[in-house]
Amino acid sequence: MEKKDFEIKQGIKAHLIKTDLFKTNMISCLITVPLTHENVTKNALIVSMLRRGTANFHTQLDLSRELENLYGAAFECGIDKYGDNQILRFYADSIDDKFALTDEEILKNTIRILLDIICNPLLENGKFKEEYLKVEKENLSKIIKSKKDDKDLYAYETCISKMYGENGFGLYKYGYLEDLETINVDNLTEHYQNLIQNSKIDIFVSGDFDEETVKQAIINDENIQRLRPRIENYILNNEYTECKQTVENVNEIIEETDVTQGKLVIGMNVNSNVDKVQFKTLLYNVILGSGANSLLFQNVREKESLAYSIKSIYVKQKANIFIRAGIEIPNFEKAVNLIKEQLEIMKKGEFSDEDLASAKEFVKSGIAAIETEQDTGIIYYIGQEISKTNVSVDEYRKIMEEITREDIIEIANNIQINTIYFLKNET
Amino acid sequence: MQVIQNSKIQEKIYTEKLTNGLKVIIIPKKTQKKYIIWGVKYGSIDHKFMVDNREITVPDGIAHYMEHKLFEQENGTNSLDVLSSMGVDANAYTTNNHTAYLFEDNNGKFFEALDEFMNYVQNPYFTDENVEKERGIIEQEIMMYDDYPDWKVYMNAIKAMYHNNPINIDVAGTKETIAEITKDKLYDAYHAFYRPDNMAIVACGDFEPQEIISEIEKRMTLQNATQNVKRIYEEEPQEIVKSRMEAEMNISMPIFTLGYKDEIACENQIKKDLALDIIFNILIGDSSELYQSLYEQGLLQAEPTFIYENSETYSHILIQGQSEKYDEVIQKIEDKIEELKQKGIEDEVFERIKKKLYGEYVKSYNDVASLATTFIQNYFRNINPLDYFEEFKGLDKEYTMQILKQAFAKDKKVVSIVKSK
């Protein structure tokens, strides 16, 4: 695998990842902007408006059929939350030209369509189509309302918003119903023009292609040519920006809804900016709660049968660890106490050398996936781009090897519970 | 060893039958990954069987319970933990008709992990105590599924179709049935079904075929049982149980399933899979006029999911989606089915969808894990995935129309709805 980056214009970059392990070429195009209450709903809506049609392919039907003719090129778009940023993500993958049944330029055409979707929307009198907006507003309102359907996710999102409030990372990535009502074709079109001409844009292409051909295809694309240079405007999150205040009182919140199983989320802060803190915390988190060997899985699920699912997730952009568990409702206190015991075990360093070694193997396996899974590779390099870091896969492995038990204990002693959130049945 | 090559997609596949009768399929890939899956043709529907002249009925959910318990070792360790500590990604799953154990290696620990893997699958260690301990965990798993509306709407559709076939029970069983599971019952089921001639292994990734086959053979201790095992299934009428099931859950938008109970007999399974895939795409796929018009009207927000499940004892088609006006959507899909039956399929559409399916087929060779899993599933459906490309080339409109007319019979239709509370 080989990666080359080049700037197409100021604020617009292409990242070409050459690999011959896959049958497909994958393209991911991202627009990164700060998460704000004012814009979060509009941005979510823009993504759905763009996929409705372009000046060249007027309807979704035209687009779908065009993609099918490219051997079922897959197209997806979505909204991600990445620290305090919102990412508008557009993605396509198609089989490599060499597998075509006749002589066809699949990759070039896939790139062309993807850029057309992002940069060249169907406008009527210079504005988004009224009837499309009506449907998409209705759809987005349903997505926002459906937040409560997936109870695990709902509990997780609610815990985050309790910790951060209506700010940056605390916002719901799809936005808010009250803001949706105020959006019309005028203000949304204006917002879009501003977004497309002033935001950071990154285009990632991964596959077995001729670099120069792809580079030229992007540079010479009509839509890319119309974009102006811009100054990147987004929020950099790292260990220095995210070092937290000490928690005085743990915030404990219990909410009720219609569930059979209780959903527990514990949000914790990592208050440290020691050298390589993100790598050390990653390893800490694996020992604590990733996979079948972790303390949480072993002691809460296997030994006490208190949970079916239990895991911890490290959100490095915000220096938080979230423990998520599905537990029997009456076992709430018992489970919380047992989880706290595991945090103490980590602080005292009462985990074994095997625990540390196997956690390193677990992480190494994830590192390998950067090269052996096409989407994992792209996601890794997106993270590098947005956090302005440049750690190669080999360096990543080396850093992991060098982390010691003392490093983990130091991290453990700088981790504090911020919020305990429990979603239970109605009484 | 048999070798099959497809030069169009640049893949070679090797198959071998071991001396004890176990089938091994190797798909070498240029990647660092090594993935292996060991499937047993034993699932939740196999709850009644004859061993020689003894009839045995085991509690619902036992195949799944066994999957959990097989990791337990006599020396007190758990193989899932042992494998994880090597940094390999190990797992297992149970379906209606098979159980599978698997792991993926990215760190060069494959053969070390293979020792543990093949040891635990071949050496069950069930005790009263370790069987008891699992009950709480599985109860939690059952409760977790109870909160999934998608699972509810699916199970209700199945219950509306099947009178007797045990596909109408949850794979994990219920709190009551798993209470009856004991170590003796687990051993009974293990000895009846965990036999080489009832299993297959697929290895996909960085392998040299001859080497991996002899490494597997070397670690193989299972023998075919001398007893005669026969599965017992009660006769299943062709008719459905009832045409509609409704439930209520706390969800924002109702979920619907439109299902058709289908004929089990099928001459050419791959061809039928392909034809149904084409029919679904034409009917309500994202390039269909019906989907676009329902989307425009706000009646659907996403393309419905299409499920086709079949084995020797069941066969059905399900179309599952989400809509406020589910009855209107279902009616429109049904009307479209009738219209297609009358008017037939346009050439342009048929060829375009075929092209899409070919692309999906090529893509399926990207990921070692899903490729190996598909091979195992198909093996137990008596499908040889290597025939796919030939069948694909030969697939025509006439056959597709024949499947359309046969599989979507009005009197075999069921509807399952989960409404918002």
Side-chain angles (χ1 to χ4, degrees):
Chain A
M1 192 174 72
E2 199 192 322
K3 179 175 164 263
K4 282 197 186 144
D5 304 325
F6 63 93
E7 191 171 67
I8 304 169
K9 285 174 196 184
Q10 189 186 0
I12 305 174
K13 278 188 216 160
H15 312 262
L16 305 185
I17 306 163
K18 279 264 294 174
T19 165
D20 61 357
L21 295 185
F22 310 103
K23 301 234 182 274
T24 44
N25 294 301
M26 197 175 269
I27 310 146
S28 202
C29 187
L30 316 173
I31 304 175
T32 307
V33 292
L35 253 173
T36 62
H37 203 299
E38 189 193 348
N39 292 333
V40 63
T41 316
K42 279 187 197 146
N43 289 335
L45 194 55
I46 294 247
V47 171
S48 0
M49 286 303 287
L50 293 183
R51 89 188 141 90
R52 291 306 304 272
T54 78
N56 292 312
F57 308 100
H58 288 199
T59 63
Q60 219 160 233
L61 203 57
D62 294 341
L63 273 173
S64 297
R65 290 177 178 176
E66 190 67 16
L67 292 165
E68 281 178 348
N69 277 321
L70 293 171
Y71 295 91
F75 166 74
E76 272 173 44
C77 53
I79 283 284
D80 291 327
K81 180 157 73 171
Y82 197 84
D84 290 311
N85 297 293
Q86 194 179 13
I87 297 180
L88 290 73
R89 181 176 40 83
F90 303 86
Y91 152 104
D93 77 24
S94 49
I95 59 171
D96 194 84
D97 296 7
K98 62 177 165 285
F99 301 114
L101 294 169
T102 54
D103 199 14
E104 287 162 85
E105 288 191 314
I106 306 174
L107 174 59
K108 261 181 140 171
N109 283 315
T110 309
I111 294 176
R112 183 177 55 88
I113 295 174
L114 190 66
L115 291 173
D116 212 44
I117 292 173
I118 300 163
C119 309
N120 193 23
L122 176 69
L123 301 177
E124 267 179 2
N125 308 319
K127 287 174 194 164
F128 282 122
K129 266 183 90 157
E130 195 84 55
E131 63 175 287
Y132 284 2
L133 183 67
K134 194 169 159 253
V135 175
E136 295 310 328
K137 274 175 79 169
E138 184 56 34
N139 287 345
L140 185 59
S141 85
K142 284 174 188 158
I143 292 175
I144 296 171
K145 286 180 202 155
S146 72
K147 192 170 146 186
K148 64 169 190 186
D149 289 357
D150 181 337
K151 303 292 187 286
D152 292 313
L153 194 66
Y154 173 79
Y156 178 52
E157 285 288 342
T158 310
C159 181
I160 292 175
S161 71
K162 300 283 180 195
M163 284 166 72
Y164 286 94
E166 303 268 289
N167 227 323
F169 189 59
L171 294 166
Y172 186 49
K173 65 177 183 179
Y174 289 113
Y176 299 88
L177 288 179
E178 56 277 23
D179 299 323
L180 192 57
E181 284 166 23
T182 66
I183 299 175
N184 55 43
V185 289
D186 296 304
N187 58 24
L188 193 68
T189 310
E190 193 189 326
H191 180 74
Y192 168 76
Q193 307 289 12
N194 180 33
L195 181 85
I196 199 72
Q197 289 299 354
N198 295 303
S199 312
K200 172 176 173 56
I201 297 182
D202 292 279
I203 303 162
F204 292 81
V205 187
S206 163
D208 188 15
F209 45 77
D210 175 63
E211 223 172 70
E212 201 46 38
T213 314
V214 172
K215 189 173 166 180
Q216 291 309 322
I218 297 173
I219 290 174
N220 296 324
D221 186 90
E222 279 180 20
N223 286 307
I224 290 288
Q225 298 222 334
R226 279 201 295 268
L227 298 179
R228 293 194 298 260
R230 71 278 315 278
I231 295 163
E232 287 186 354
N233 166 32
Y234 73 103
I235 294 168
L236 188 67
N237 294 116
N238 61 32
E239 54 266 51
Y240 304 105
T241 62
E242 302 309 314
C243 208
K244 307 279 195 313
Q245 304 282 315
T246 309
V247 181
E248 297 294 339
N249 292 307
V250 174
N251 193 8
E252 194 173 308
I253 301 150
I254 296 178
E255 285 186 352
E256 294 183 354
T257 185
D258 170 26
V259 283
T260 322
Q261 190 186 56
K263 316 290 174 189
L264 172 66
V265 184
I266 300 181
M268 310 194 291
N269 294 346
V270 185
N271 291 325
S272 171
N273 52 19
V274 292
D275 186 37
K276 304 198 171 60
V277 60
Q278 295 190 338
F279 297 94
K280 293 170 183 172
T281 310
L282 175 68
L283 211 48
Y284 164 92
N285 182 56
V286 173
I287 301 173
L288 176 71
S290 293
N293 259 337
S294 65
L295 291 178
L296 291 176
F297 192 88
Q298 284 301 322
N299 296 333
V300 182
R301 174 181 144 132
E302 293 293 304
K303 287 211 184 103
E304 298 290 332
S305 301
L306 272 181
Y308 171 71
S309 64
I310 182 155
K311 63 186 167 192
S312 63
I313 303 146
Y314 174 39
V315 180
K316 72 170 181 207
Q317 302 84 28
K318 294 304 292 177
N320 289 125
I321 289 177
F322 294 92
I323 297 172
R324 296 170 63 174
I327 58 174
E328 233 177 296
I329 291 155
N331 287 335
F332 170 60
E333 300 215 342
K334 218 166 139 189
V336 170
N337 288 334
L338 197 56
I339 290 169
K340 284 181 177 166
E341 274 175 37
Q342 310 313 307
L343 299 176
E344 285 306 311
I345 291 175
M346 293 299 294
K347 281 185 189 167
K348 292 183 194 146
E350 287 167 354
F351 52 88
S352 66
D353 289 336
E354 289 76 47
D355 289 337
L356 179 61
S358 76
K360 286 188 178 184
E361 291 294 339
F362 182 91
V363 176
K364 265 163 66 186
S365 177
I367 298 173
I370 296 168
E371 290 176 325
T372 55
E373 290 167 11
Q374 208 164 13
D375 50 347
T376 309
I378 289 185
I379 291 166
Y380 178 73
Y381 289 114
I382 289 172
Q384 299 259 299
E385 174 60 32
I386 295 173
S387 60
K388 291 199 196 294
T389 47
N390 188 8
V391 179
S392 72
V393 172
D394 290 336
E395 283 168 300
Y396 190 178
R397 284 200 185 93
K398 193 164 165 282
I399 294 169
M400 276 299 148
E401 282 305 326
E402 287 165 359
I403 295 175
T404 62
R405 150 183 295 279
E406 287 66 39
D407 292 331
I408 305 293
I409 297 170
E410 188 186 358
I411 296 292
N413 282 286
N414 284 295
I415 286 181
Q416 274 195 308
I417 295 182
N418 176 307
T419 299
I420 298 174
Y421 177 82
F422 189 52
L423 188 63
K424 55 181 247 182
N425 59 335
E426 283 146 342
T427 46
Chain B
M1 190 163 59
Q2 205 193 345
V3 189
I4 302 113
Q5 183 167 5
N6 181 339
S7 53
K8 184 69 222 165
I9 62 159
Q10 303 170 9
E11 295 288 347
K12 263 188 189 172
I13 287 141
Y14 302 77
T15 64
E16 178 76 290
K17 199 161 214 163
L18 303 185
T19 42
N20 67 3
L22 191 136
K23 177 91 166 186
V24 182
I25 302 170
I26 313 294
I27 315 160
K29 299 283 287 180
K30 191 177 130 192
T31 170
Q32 212 182 309
K33 273 179 198 268
K34 289 186 167 76
Y35 185 95
I36 189 164
I37 181 165
W38 190 336
V40 188
K41 195 176 179 191
Y42 177 54
S44 60
I45 61 169
D46 303 306
H47 64 168
K48 203 184 260 186
F49 47 92
M50 297 281 290
V51 175
D52 291 335
N53 291 321
R54 183 165 70 110
E55 188 182 312
I56 300 177
T57 304
V58 286
D60 290 343
I62 195 166
H64 172 257
Y65 210 102
M66 174 122 62
E67 170 224 311
H68 275 238
K69 265 339 328 167
L70 214 49
F71 290 105
E72 206 88 42
Q73 295 302 298
E74 194 168 355
N75 63 11
T77 59
N78 179 302
S79 292
L80 192 61
D81 306 343
V82 175
L83 289 167
S84 301
S85 68
M86 293 178 193
V88 305
D89 194 358
N91 213 337
Y93 68 82
T94 309
T95 72
N96 294 314
N97 69 346
H98 73 280
T99 310
Y101 302 88
L102 56 100
F103 76 89
E104 178 180 298
D105 166 63
N106 280 300
N107 296 357
K109 296 279 174 72
F110 183 81
F111 290 106
E112 203 181 311
L114 189 65
D115 286 336
E116 181 74 26
F117 177 69
M118 290 193 59
N119 180 50
Y120 90 77
V121 177
Q122 299 182 90
N123 296 294
Y125 178 70
F126 308 133
T127 63
D128 291 333
E129 194 197 358
N130 72 27
V131 170
E132 188 53 47
K133 202 196 72 184
E134 203 69 20
R135 240 180 283 276
I137 295 171
I138 295 180
E139 277 173 17
Q140 285 298 317
E141 188 177 354
I142 293 169
M143 283 164 77
M144 187 177 76
Y145 276 101
D146 285 343
D147 282 341
Y148 289 156
D150 289 353
W151 183 245
K152 182 66 133 187
V153 82
Y154 166 82
M155 274 318 293
N156 277 351
I158 296 294
K159 284 175 182 160
M161 287 184 204
Y162 293 93
H163 300 259
N164 304 322
N165 191 289
I167 192 175
N168 65 8
I169 56 172
D170 272 325
V171 171
T174 64
K175 208 171 164 167
E176 291 70 37
T177 64
I178 66 165
E180 295 164 25
I181 292 174
T182 61
K183 73 166 200 246
D184 293 334
K185 289 176 183 168
L186 285 165
Y187 276 120
D188 274 346
Y190 183 89
H191 293 306
F193 294 103
Y194 280 61
R195 297 172 324 204
D197 58 3
N198 193 44
M199 296 170 148
I201 291 179
V202 179
C204 182
D206 179 21
F207 292 111
E208 198 287 299
Q210 200 54 62
E211 184 198 10
I212 176 68
I213 287 171
S214 43
E215 291 290 341
I216 291 170
E217 182 112 58
K218 225 163 69 185
R219 291 167 176 82
M220 193 58 79
T221 54
L222 272 185
Q223 297 297 324
N224 274 317
T226 45
Q227 345 128 284
N228 198 1
V229 179
K230 198 172 160 280
R231 295 166 161 87
I232 304 170
Y233 299 112
E234 273 180 67
E235 184 127 353
E236 175 65 35
Q238 294 206 342
E239 293 73 38
I240 57 169
V241 180
K242 51 173 151 175
S243 57
R244 193 174 174 100
M245 292 272 275
E246 289 190 5
E248 278 188 0
M249 286 178 89
N250 188 9
I251 49 171
S252 64
M253 207 195 296
I255 310 178
F256 67 85
T257 295
L258 168 63
Y260 291 88
K261 192 172 179 180
D262 180 29
E263 279 172 30
I264 291 160
C266 169
E267 275 171 37
N268 185 330
Q269 196 59 60
I270 299 183
K271 219 169 151 184
K272 184 167 173 182
D273 285 5
L274 281 164
L276 282 169
D277 223 344
I278 290 197
I279 292 166
F280 174 74
N281 270 283
I282 293 175
L283 180 65
I284 188 82
D286 66 5
S287 68
S288 68
E289 266 144 29
L290 177 58
Y291 172 67
Q292 291 299 335
S293 100
L294 291 170
Y295 184 93
E296 286 297 335
Q297 296 166 59
L299 294 179
L300 282 179
Q301 274 70 57
E303 194 189 346
T305 317
F306 179 68
I307 303 166
Y308 168 48
E309 291 178 308
N310 79 313
S311 77
E312 290 108 335
T313 64
Y314 57 80
S315 181
H316 50 260
I317 294 153
L318 305 169
I319 297 172
Q320 189 170 312
Q322 212 171 359
S323 179
E324 302 282 4
K325 296 186 178 163
Y326 41 85
D327 279 325
E328 200 177 326
V329 172
I330 289 167
Q331 188 58 53
K332 290 206 161 128
I333 297 174
E334 284 186 68
D335 291 347
K336 192 73 193 179
I337 292 171
E338 293 312 310
E339 189 192 311
L340 274 176
K341 283 183 188 171
Q342 296 299 319
K343 289 191 184 163
I345 302 166
E346 286 169 47
D347 288 334
E348 185 273 327
V349 181
F350 186 77
E351 292 307 322
R352 174 160 44 77
I353 302 292
K354 254 187 99 170
K355 212 171 164 186
K356 175 184 176 184
L357 295 192
Y358 170 74
E360 286 174 357
Y361 166 66
V362 175
K363 277 185 198 178
S364 74
Y365 276 81
N366 249 355
D367 177 42
V368 296
S370 61
L371 187 59
T373 310
T374 309
F375 267 68
I376 275 288
Q377 284 163 359
N378 283 333
Y379 181 76
F380 295 129
R381 292 172 71 216
N382 301 320
I383 285 184
N384 183 356
L386 309 168
D387 296 338
Y388 183 96
F389 195 56
E390 284 308 307
E391 295 297 344
F392 171 81
K393 283 193 286 190
L395 184 71
D396 57 26
K397 260 174 45 173
E398 287 61 41
Y399 177 78
T400 308
M401 283 305 293
Q402 188 191 319
I403 293 295
L404 174 70
K405 286 175 183 159
Q406 169 240 306
F408 294 84
K410 275 184 174 169
D411 58 339
K412 303 287 169 55
K413 185 199 81 177
V414 304
V415 169
S416 163
I417 309 288
V418 173
K419 292 189 204 171
S420 319
K421 246 183 205 172

